[in-house]
Amino acid sequence: MATYLITGVAGFIGSSLARAVLAQGDKVRGVDNFATGRSENLDEILERIDLRTVDVLDLDAIQEASKGVDFVLHQAAIPSVPRSVLDPVGSNAANVDGTVNVLVAARDQKVRRVIYAASSSAYGDTPSLPKQEDMFPNPISPYAVAKLAGEYYMSSFYRCYGLETVSLRYFNIFGPRQDPTSPYSGVLAKFISLMLHGEQPTIFGDGEQSRDFTFVDNAVSANLLACRAPRDQVCGRVFNVATGRRASLKETFAILKTITGFQGEVKFGPKRAGDVTHSIADISRSQSHLGYKPLVDFKEGLHKTVDWYRSEMRPVVTPPSPVAS
Ligand code: UD1
């Protein structure tokens, strides 16, 4: 039985990873500072995991949490492009310093392998599509720069200390438990939640921008594969985690109208600073080196996600107590 340390375990990706690791019969230790993570995301597995309230900026606590660990799945981060535009210092601290701390602790505690949640934002607005791992990175936002710096730290720890590391460039991951309530929430969580409540969403820009939206189960499977893939094929390297298809925001809104039954129209607002126009991945390297394949496509993922948000909205109905006759 292996022990997995999941940083950011109370986030929607971290908590999905925790469920999958438990399902394969392994042990989960999780850390979170609960800045954006929510303990409700762990509700029914809380008893089965070793959960610690720890910030990745606290090196001593991360050292302690890394003791006896086989694999680290490093998800803790402050996400969001616009948030990093407003607060580059905070983004850099959590995303870069936090990652260095996780790596130092993993090296010192002799962890077998560290898998890192890197970001497709590293590519920036490269004119050629799809985006391949060998392309020269062109990050636009502070968030993208910080996530890319994390990748470089990952490969440097492999090259300098022999710590096995794998970076997974996530392409717009979405799914159940993604928080829709923050102004920095991912677009799908926001749109689905608003539309289910009969409220009008806003597209920033002309809506022609496109994303390779990737259902969370695909990211979970990539992490588990990355732990076991042969060292000489994957360590010190970067892999796209995506579906290899894309949808524009206008198309996405139209699909969501059908799934949610929303009757209204979308509003348009100004384009966001730091926004990438088009994003779609070439997933051939992940397929050949990790054995990755997308398990759930975009539309199926949207259905599953909408179903989940719907089930969260439903009030709990207590059955009437039997009337004595
Ligand atoms: C970026 C990364 C993604 C990463 C995420 C972390 C790229 C291509 N992707 O996502 O891999 O996981 O950061 O935060 O860089 N939008 C609206 N209305 C809204 C909200 C968003 O129109 O209410 C638009 C945005 O302007 C953007 C698109 O929807 O064009 C997606 O936005 P968002 O979900 O925030 O993710 P990215 O910034 O693309």
Side-chain angles (χ1 to χ4, degrees):
M1 188 190 271
T3 299
Y4 288 68
L5 172 64
I6 303 175
T7 69
V9 71
F12 90 102
I13 303 175
S15 59
S16 302
L17 283 166
R19 286 180 177 80
V21 170
L22 290 175
Q24 69 180 15
D26 289 314
K27 276 201 209 161
V28 173
R29 185 175 300 157
V31 294
D32 210 296
N33 68 354
F34 295 97
T36 59
R38 296 169 347 138
S39 60
E40 303 91 275
N41 288 344
L42 299 165
D43 264 354
E44 88 290 0
I45 56 166
L46 216 46
E47 306 277 278
R48 294 161 63 204
I49 69 176
D50 171 3
L51 176 63
R52 304 178 186 191
T53 303
V54 163
D55 193 311
V56 285
L57 291 174
D58 181 347
L59 179 56
D60 289 342
I62 291 293
Q63 287 277 12
E64 190 57 36
S66 303
K67 286 186 178 154
V69 163
D70 297 288
F71 301 104
V72 176
L73 308 178
H74 176 39
Q75 313 299 309
I78 295 189
S80 171
V81 167
R83 187 167 176 165
S84 76
V85 173
L86 281 176
D87 179 19
V89 173
S91 170
N92 187 78
N95 300 332
V96 182
D97 298 345
T99 297
V100 176
N101 282 351
V102 167
L103 283 167
V104 166
R107 178 201 65 191
D108 293 353
Q109 304 305 328
K110 312 217 176 328
V111 163
R112 275 159 67 185
R113 194 171 283 183
V114 181
I115 316 299
Y116 166 64
S119 171
S120 64
S121 58
Y123 292 108
D125 256 340
T126 44
S128 56
L129 299 170
K131 309 207 177 191
Q132 291 170 323
E133 293 89 341
D134 288 338
M135 285 176 173
F136 198 71
N138 185 21
I140 302 174
S141 61
Y143 172 76
V145 172
K147 278 283 166 183
L148 180 61
E151 281 183 21
Y152 289 142
Y153 274 113
M154 291 284 288
S155 60
S156 88
F157 270 62
Y158 180 55
R159 292 163 81 168
C160 296
Y161 309 110
L163 173 66
E164 295 191 6
T165 62
V166 184
S167 292
L168 301 177
R169 278 190 185 161
Y170 291 170
F171 280 66
N172 290 75
I173 310 298
F174 71 99
R177 302 186 185 83
Q178 188 171 19
D179 178 14
T181 59
S182 147
Y184 307 117
S185 297
V187 67
L188 294 181
K190 262 169 101 172
F191 276 27
I192 294 170
S193 175
L194 287 169
M195 291 165 82
L196 285 177
H197 287 92
E199 290 170 38
Q200 189 177 30
T202 303
I203 287 181
F204 301 133
D206 62 7
E208 296 303 331
Q209 71 263 48
S210 59
R211 294 290 183 271
D212 189 336
F213 290 113
T214 303
F215 189 65
V216 63
D217 287 9
N218 301 324
V220 167
S221 114
N223 273 273
L224 300 181
L225 288 164
C227 290
R228 305 289 174 179
R231 170 193 166 111
D232 55 347
Q233 281 190 39
V234 301
C235 289
R237 304 192 70 178
V238 174
F239 297 93
N240 288 340
V241 174
T243 68
R245 292 169 176 270
R246 64 181 164 133
S248 73
L249 280 194
K250 275 186 179 162
E251 288 163 348
T252 303
F253 173 71
I255 300 168
L256 283 177
K257 267 186 92 160
T258 314
I259 303 178
T260 60
F262 177 72
Q263 302 286 322
E265 283 313 317
V266 72
K267 283 185 281 195
F268 288 88
K271 184 182 168 176
R272 272 187 345 196
D275 210 32
V276 166
T277 309
H278 297 296
S279 179
I280 177 172
D282 180 334
I283 54 171
S284 48
R285 185 194 279 185
S286 306
Q287 287 174 316
S288 60
H289 289 57
L290 293 174
Y292 166 82
K293 61 173 195 297
L295 302 173
V296 179
D297 71 19
F298 177 47
K299 279 199 187 156
E300 190 189 345
L302 283 183
H303 277 280
K304 284 173 182 272
T305 308
V306 170
D307 285 350
W308 186 84
Y309 284 107
R310 262 207 190 103
S311 71
E312 287 293 290
M313 287 167 66
R314 205 172 295 141
V316 180
V317 181
T318 322
S321 42
V323 183
S325 55

